[in-house]
Amino acid sequence: MKEVCLICNAHIDPIWQWDWQEGASAAVATFASAAKLLEKHDFIFCHNEVTVYKYVETYAPELFEKIRELVKRGKWKIIGGWYLQPDCNMPSGESMVRQILFGKKYFLEKFGVFPEIAFNVDAFGHSRGLVQIIKKCGQKGDIVCRPYENEIDLKHSRFIWRGFDGSEIKVARAVEGYNTLLGDSLNIILRRVEKQPEERVMVLWGVGNHGGGPSDKDLADIEKYCDNMRNTPLSEKDEKKLYCLKHSTPEEFFEKLVPEGREERSLRISMPGCYTSLGKLKREHVKLENELYLAEEICSLASMNGLMKYPLEELDSVNEDLLNSEFHDVLPGSSVKAGEENGLKLLLHGRLDAEREKTRAFFALCNNMSPAKEGEFPIVVFNSRPYEYTENVECEFMLKDQNWDEESVSSLSVFDEKGKPVRFQTIKEESNINLDWRKRIIFEAKMKPFSVNRFNVYVDYKKSPKTQIKQDFVFDNGYKYVRIGKDTGLLESYKINGAEYLANAFLPVMFKDNADPWAMSEFQQERLGTDETAFALAKNKNGVFGGLKSVNVVENGDIYVGVEAFFECMSTKARVLYKIYKNNPHVDVDVNVFLGDKDCFVKLKMPVSGYTEGKCEVIGQTMFGAEKLFTDARENVSQRYIAVKNESGKYLEVINDCVYGSHFENDALYLSLVRGVTYCTHPILQRELLPGDRYTKKPDQGENDYSFRITVANENELEKNAKEFNFKPYAVNVFPVKTSGIMREIRGICVLNPNVTLEAFKKKEDGKGYSIRLFNGSRDSAETVLSVDGKTIELNFASYEAKTVVFDEEGLKESELFVI
């Protein structure tokens, strides 16, 4: 007789087609209904997600205590154990660690339990990097639903999933989904059982998508079916349909689960429009990730040196803002406008609080420095990388006097803390007040590892020179060659050491698209967007670029040449600013897209050069890993870099600050920038996608901003380069205030191998020491020495392995599991 493990749940989206308040109401009502039914029927109710339990704890405390009692009795099962069901493609590896471990902290504190099986049934695909994260957070398996059968060629619904680092977990994919229809659950359960040939199967059931869970009728139907099975003589039973229905839990099902296959890839693709839709929210998410981790690092440095108390409670609140923003209908952009607004509130609130704590720690470190001398403008730079390196750093400051007298202007000089002159360039400040008052400089800063570094600016005045920016569209120093087309506005050539890597790149192009933010249609699995149309060079007759040259050199000094170009297509316009550095192989490119069209998809086209036609190997960063990307026009998802390997083994690396989607075809990389979709537009059967007689709200219209870096690197440098671009040195003009006591020698941390990147450095949640997370972002093994406050530990990393080291009074110790 086939054994059927029934896992009763209620899929509750805290926010989707409704705002969070209605989501909270649905959670309370669903939990109250489930608790009442548990007293009447013999079954197990299963539910996950800290966010939903917190709603009940806050708004129905008596019900919450009832649930705690039911958990102790084994009637109510905490499953999943994560903070919520996040998107499983776009958050960083560190964010996903916190989804699990902040969930673990809550459920252990409130219920004394932590599930062994993860539960991610509504995410739009799953990164292979999850395997290592799930395993090292103390869980053994995962239940998923997507991708669906028509979206991926999985041969088995139960399999061993092997991670980048060699970690393995068991995975079971739920057949047909996670919810059932009210009053028809039994029929759906039996249909799902019939679709599974195994003798022991799992079926998820319960009314979902806005709460509900089990109903009285559905439970009665199941009980009646089980009674009939027990009471019907064997001779009258259909042997093919002998089903023993048993109320169960994920842990019970997995205990006897024997996987039938093995997978060594990410579970994609599913609904690829989610990689780009609601881009404003995605950009704020990256900013909060970066701001939070930077704040934790600088607060740890100040705390470790006795300059301030670590703000654990305040930064935990920021962590919760980040985790809630990663919900699988918020970060992917599949919610109504209220969902986007709530996500932005969380992200902006978290970023403000993180900035406050970062600034408090930064000032504490600065005030450990000697006060400025007369005429000295100190620029203090925090290098969050645990190794010494040189980077171009930008900073603004105010002059003491303004040039009301037009005969003279300020003349600057910059020195390091040893008094050695530093190469710099004065560039356009953010302000547009036409006075020599506010200054912005970019300077070449050599920085000590994980420390504050001081540079000093001095100001003199001289007669105002009549200068004109030299119109250099070609840069060639013998090592790097870059040409920007005066008549095309494109990066026509990018060569390093004589090898060509790009030609006619950074061309904005537009594709026809539809209003669906998910991109659910089958044809969108093969290609997202049709009928490619190139933008034309803007003639600047009107609009936001009115009166400007189509292509123009706007900066030219000792650090970089800046070239600006303007493009247009239909009602959409784009600005591209190239920063061609003179002291390194990089070119930074800022892009602003002013979207003015709907049902379209704007991308950047980057034809690669010097490769055998059709033989490009393209990889992209994912959480704690990197993987091969599709090169057949299917939409890819990756994180902060994409890299194309040439025949010599070198990589053209394209780093970004907020872009996830891309595709590759005909030896060209297309970076996905913005889609002209409509909020929460869900295809239903063959019905019209949108009402045609009224306006419907469109996200992402107007200005959308992006930053990129192109460089050439070895495979083991890709992760480090992406970190340096996204965690730029933090620089502020600060005048240290003399404090009581003797100035301290700041004790920091150092990683001997810079290609082993620092992912996190924070006070442990138990307050006992610090947690340090390091990652080898290469397919090759790596080793390094970590030094903290004079103590050292040698570390060996497997391919794409992340490790946690705990630093406390006893020194440095490697932890087998991830800790926060």
Side-chain angles (χ1 to χ4, degrees):
M1 181 179 292
K2 181 176 286 192
E3 181 181 346
V4 181
C5 294
L6 296 179
I7 299 178
C8 177
N9 73 107
H11 185 73
I12 303 174
D13 289 325
I15 194 165
W16 179 33
Q17 297 181 71
W18 43 84
D19 56 27
W20 71 266
Q21 293 94 333
E22 187 176 333
S25 175
V28 171
T30 297
F31 279 23
S33 173
K36 184 176 180 181
L37 290 169
L38 282 168
E39 299 300 335
K40 181 178 179 181
H41 298 274
D42 185 16
F43 74 105
I44 302 171
F45 181 69
C46 303
H47 203 86
N48 55 314
E49 299 183 317
V50 169
T51 295
V52 174
Y53 282 91
K54 278 194 168 186
Y55 287 156
V56 178
E57 183 181 15
T58 303
Y59 304 121
E62 290 185 12
L63 174 60
F64 187 77
E65 291 305 315
K66 176 66 175 177
I67 293 168
R68 284 162 59 104
E69 176 197 338
L70 290 167
V71 169
K72 289 179 182 178
R73 290 165 52 191
K75 300 273 286 179
W76 189 299
K77 177 69 175 178
I78 306 293
I79 63 171
W82 293 23
Y83 201 87
L84 45 68
Q85 287 193 57
D87 175 78
C88 291
N89 291 308
M90 291 175 281
S92 67
E94 184 61 30
S95 283
M96 298 306 288
V97 169
R98 296 178 190 210
Q99 283 287 351
I100 303 177
L101 294 186
F102 272 89
K104 181 178 184 177
K105 177 185 174 185
Y106 178 84
F107 285 120
L108 284 174
E109 177 185 327
K110 302 296 182 179
F111 298 95
V113 299
F114 178 60
E116 292 183 341
I117 308 302
F119 191 79
N120 294 293
V121 296
D122 206 20
F124 312 128
H126 306 262
S127 167
R128 186 183 174 195
L130 283 170
V131 180
Q132 176 178 195
I133 294 168
I134 290 172
K135 186 72 174 288
K136 290 186 176 179
C137 286
Q139 295 187 305
K140 299 178 180 179
D142 194 10
I143 295 177
V144 303
C145 282
R146 299 191 183 96
Y148 295 130
E149 287 81 353
N150 65 325
E151 295 175 323
I152 193 171
D153 59 343
L154 284 176
K155 294 181 175 61
H156 304 282
S157 61
R158 305 108 169 264
F159 52 89
I160 293 291
W161 198 13
R162 184 177 175 84
F164 295 109
D165 71 324
S167 298
E168 293 183 345
I169 61 171
K170 294 179 182 180
V171 174
R173 184 170 66 171
V175 173
E176 283 195 353
Y178 46 80
N179 62 332
T180 51
L181 299 178
L182 180 64
D184 197 32
S185 293
L186 178 60
N187 291 329
I188 295 172
I189 289 168
L190 296 178
R191 186 182 72 214
R192 291 176 180 174
V193 173
E194 290 173 9
K195 287 191 172 186
Q196 301 181 67
E198 299 86 0
E199 286 301 306
R200 187 171 182 270
V201 301
M202 173 189 71
V203 175
L204 305 185
W205 77 280
V207 180
N209 270 347
H210 198 29
S215 73
D216 195 17
K217 180 183 182 303
D218 289 321
L219 287 166
D221 288 346
I222 293 170
E223 290 168 358
K224 183 178 179 181
Y225 175 88
C226 292
D227 288 342
N228 288 339
M229 288 296 295
R230 281 191 294 268
N231 298 327
T232 302
L234 185 61
S235 60
E236 297 180 17
K237 293 179 180 178
D238 183 348
E239 291 186 6
K240 294 182 180 179
K241 294 186 178 181
L242 294 180
Y243 304 150
C244 176
L245 304 185
K246 177 184 179 182
H247 293 292
S248 186
T249 67
E251 280 71 19
E252 185 178 3
F253 176 70
F254 270 72
E255 186 177 357
K256 297 179 182 178
L257 177 65
V258 179
E260 299 142 339
R262 177 178 294 271
E263 292 293 338
E264 298 188 10
R265 56 175 168 165
S266 292
L267 305 181
R268 300 196 186 105
I269 58 176
S270 180
M271 306 182 190
C274 292
Y275 310 152
T276 303
S277 300
L278 270 65
K280 291 183 177 71
L281 194 143
K282 290 175 171 58
R283 288 192 288 279
E284 289 300 330
H285 170 257
V286 176
K287 289 177 182 178
L288 179 54
E289 278 193 320
N290 294 349
E291 191 67 35
L292 170 59
Y293 303 150
L294 180 61
E296 289 176 343
E297 289 169 1
I298 196 168
C299 287
S300 295
L301 181 64
S303 169
M304 188 174 71
N305 283 278
L307 298 173
M308 65 175 278
K309 180 182 177 182
Y310 186 90
L312 186 62
E313 184 177 336
E314 292 83 355
L315 290 178
D316 275 359
S317 175
V318 178
N319 270 288
E320 291 184 1
D321 286 338
L322 176 66
L323 300 181
N324 277 311
S325 77
E326 293 171 345
F327 180 62
H328 64 259
D329 278 316
V330 173
L331 185 57
S334 50
S335 72
V336 294
K337 189 173 183 179
E340 179 191 40
E341 290 175 343
N342 180 253
L344 290 171
K345 288 175 188 175
L346 290 168
L347 292 164
L348 293 170
H349 174 264
R351 188 144 65 95
L352 178 60
D353 282 357
E355 283 179 347
R356 284 171 171 158
E357 299 308 323
K358 176 189 73 175
T359 303
R360 191 157 67 91
F362 184 74
F363 271 82
L365 290 163
C366 290
N367 288 337
N368 189 57
M369 296 178 171
S370 58
K373 298 176 182 176
E374 182 67 29
E376 195 173 77
F377 292 80
I379 305 294
V380 182
V381 182
F382 175 59
N383 170 24
S384 65
R385 302 299 88 201
Y387 51 84
E388 181 179 271
Y389 83 114
T390 301
E391 179 61 285
N392 296 319
V393 175
E394 294 187 26
C395 185
E396 289 201 4
F397 59 96
M398 299 291 285
L399 297 179
K400 186 166 60 174
D401 299 310
Q402 304 87 50
N403 71 328
W404 294 99
D405 177 8
E406 295 185 7
E407 292 297 316
S408 65
V409 294
S410 60
S411 175
L412 309 181
S413 54
V414 184
F415 298 87
D416 65 17
E417 58 188 350
K418 294 181 179 179
K420 183 178 178 181
V422 173
R423 182 160 55 169
F424 77 98
Q425 178 178 339
T426 304
I427 58 177
K428 175 69 175 68
E429 67 279 6
E430 287 293 317
S431 171
N432 294 299
I433 296 177
N434 193 12
L435 273 176
D436 188 17
W437 186 7
R438 183 80 176 159
K439 308 299 290 186
R440 186 176 187 87
I441 61 172
I442 181 169
F443 60 98
E444 189 177 74
K446 184 177 181 180
M447 297 167 291
K448 296 175 290 187
F450 204 81
S451 183
V452 286
N453 300 261
R454 179 166 171 171
F455 299 84
N456 293 307
V457 180
Y458 296 90
V459 183
D460 198 358
Y461 290 87
K462 62 182 181 180
K463 188 174 181 180
S464 177
K466 293 182 179 180
T467 58
Q468 187 172 0
I469 297 176
K470 187 177 180 182
Q471 296 294 295
D472 287 335
F473 293 91
V474 176
F475 175 78
D476 186 359
N477 64 0
Y479 174 69
K480 178 169 76 173
Y481 177 87
V482 180
R483 183 177 72 250
I484 307 299
K486 285 189 279 187
D487 300 317
T488 65
L490 304 180
L491 192 154
E492 293 183 341
S493 178
Y494 173 62
K495 296 179 183 179
I496 296 295
N497 230 4
E500 185 89 66
Y501 287 88
L502 282 171
N504 298 315
F506 291 97
L507 171 65
V509 293
M510 184 180 289
F511 293 84
K512 290 181 181 178
D513 199 358
N514 66 15
D516 170 12
W518 289 271
M520 292 185 180
S521 302
E522 286 191 21
F523 70 86
Q524 292 173 311
Q525 290 280 316
E526 301 301 322
R527 169 186 290 280
L528 188 50
T530 61
D531 300 330
E532 176 183 333
T533 301
F535 279 55
L537 204 61
K539 300 306 180 185
N540 307 312
K541 293 181 179 179
N542 51 47
V544 68
F545 302 146
L548 299 172
K549 290 183 180 180
S550 298
V551 185
N552 189 35
V553 178
V554 294
E555 302 284 359
N556 198 345
D558 289 342
I559 302 297
Y560 77 88
V561 178
V563 183
E564 195 173 48
F566 303 98
F567 302 88
E568 58 190 359
C569 181
M570 298 173 59
S571 298
T572 297
K573 298 179 183 294
R575 167 189 178 256
V576 179
L577 172 64
Y578 304 96
K579 298 177 181 178
I580 307 165
Y581 294 108
K582 299 181 177 181
N583 56 356
N584 60 45
H586 316 325
V587 176
D588 285 357
V589 184
D590 293 339
V591 178
N592 314 96
V593 176
F594 299 83
L595 184 66
D597 297 287
K598 65 177 183 177
D599 300 343
C600 65
F601 196 179
V602 179
K603 297 195 172 200
L604 277 180
K605 184 176 183 178
M606 303 181 65
V608 298
S609 300
Y611 303 87
T612 303
E613 187 175 351
K615 298 291 185 181
C616 288
E617 178 186 313
V618 186
I619 63 173
Q621 185 199 51
T622 186
M623 54 186 74
F624 288 158
E627 56 196 336
K628 285 188 178 182
L629 302 182
F630 303 122
T631 55
D632 57 1
R634 282 183 285 175
E635 192 75 2
N636 289 300
V637 59
S638 55
Q639 295 185 353
R640 301 286 68 84
Y641 72 77
I642 298 173
V644 186
K645 184 179 181 181
N646 72 7
E647 293 174 348
S648 71
K650 288 283 188 179
Y651 285 84
L652 167 70
E653 184 176 17
V654 182
I655 307 170
N656 71 84
D657 69 339
C658 58
V659 170
Y660 293 96
S662 69
H663 84 267
F664 194 93
E665 65 173 324
N666 299 325
D667 295 324
L669 172 65
Y670 291 77
L671 301 171
S672 302
L673 300 184
V674 60
R675 298 182 69 215
V677 298
T678 303
Y679 287 104
C680 204
T681 304
H682 194 305
I684 301 292
L685 303 176
Q686 302 303 313
R687 299 172 188 172
E688 185 180 19
L689 196 57
L690 283 173
D693 60 348
R694 68 194 66 199
Y695 169 74
T696 48
K697 297 176 183 177
K698 317 287 180 187
D700 293 331
Q701 296 292 315
E703 185 174 358
N704 296 269
D705 304 324
Y706 314 87
S707 294
F708 302 93
R709 169 171 290 178
I710 58 171
T711 193
V712 172
N714 296 315
E715 189 265 348
N716 65 350
E717 298 172 319
L718 299 174
E719 188 78 25
K720 172 183 74 70
N721 292 341
K723 281 286 190 296
E724 289 177 358
F725 181 72
N726 278 275
F727 290 84
K728 292 182 174 69
Y730 176 59
V732 182
N733 170 215
V734 175
F735 293 89
V737 176
K738 188 174 182 180
T739 57
S740 59
I742 302 172
M743 285 191 297
R744 306 164 185 252
E745 181 179 351
I746 298 299
R747 303 165 294 159
I749 69 174
C750 180
V751 176
L752 195 62
N753 181 354
N755 296 324
V756 173
T757 58
L758 177 67
E759 301 296 311
F761 177 30
K762 67 183 292 293
K763 190 81 170 180
K764 285 177 62 195
E765 289 299 302
D766 61 9
K768 300 175 182 178
Y770 299 85
S771 171
I772 303 169
R773 194 118 48 240
L774 301 170
F775 173 56
N776 169 32
S778 170
R779 70 187 75 180
D780 296 325
S781 59
E783 57 185 34
T784 193
V785 175
L786 169 66
S787 301
V788 183
D789 191 23
K791 300 178 176 62
T792 63
I793 185 171
E794 295 183 5
L795 299 168
N796 296 293
F797 293 80
S799 170
Y800 296 117
E801 185 178 12
K803 288 179 179 286
T804 297
V805 175
V806 173
F807 172 63
D808 56 22
E809 294 178 351
E810 297 179 2
L812 294 166
K813 183 179 180 181
E814 184 177 340
S815 172
E816 290 185 7
L817 296 177
F818 290 155
V819 295
I820 53 171

